[in-house]
Amino acid sequence: SASFSSHSSSSVPLVSLIASTSRYYYNYRHTSNALLVSSLLSVPEEAKVLMLADATPYNPRNPKRHSMYSDSSATESLYTSTTPTLQTYYGSAVTVPTFLLTLTSS
């Protein structure tokens, strides 16, 4: 699970908070949708917070480890280990208190 650090230390204000609250590999599409939305936003990567309730890219059932795709014909991964978001939360770090704290931190 990810550790928590407030976005308040950044000089770039939080502009987007993208959350996928679905857990387990069979909800792959929910996580890939969150990653797709993140990639489509015209917002600086440093102003995004990404919350993924499951670390699907690292799931042993994922045939293409460390990557995620929007559909079976896609050739470019939506996920990279160096996705430059301000903060990425995984697994047990995705909680209601963390979500609310991220929204209300300044």
Side-chain angles (χ1 to χ4, degrees), residues 36-96:
L36 182 61
V37 166
S38 178
S39 71
L40 293 175
L41 287 175
S42 298
V43 171
E45 295 297 325
E46 302 80 26
K48 293 179 186 177
V49 172
L50 184 59
M51 301 181 95
L52 304 173
D54 200 6
T56 307
Y58 303 101
N59 189 296
R61 290 189 259 177
N62 185 354
K64 296 180 179 179
R65 286 279 186 98
H66 309 285
S67 58
M68 293 199 64
Y69 299 88
S70 58
D71 62 57
S72 60
S73 64
T75 57
E76 188 174 330
S77 177
L78 296 169
Y79 176 84
T80 67
S81 61
T82 58
T83 300
T85 58
L86 174 62
Q87 180 73 40
T88 302
Y89 299 91
Y90 290 105
S92 62
V94 179
T95 64
V96 171

Side-chain angles (χ1 to χ4, degrees), residues 1 10 28 37 61:
S1 63
S10 173
Y28 182 103
V37 166
R61 290 189 259 177

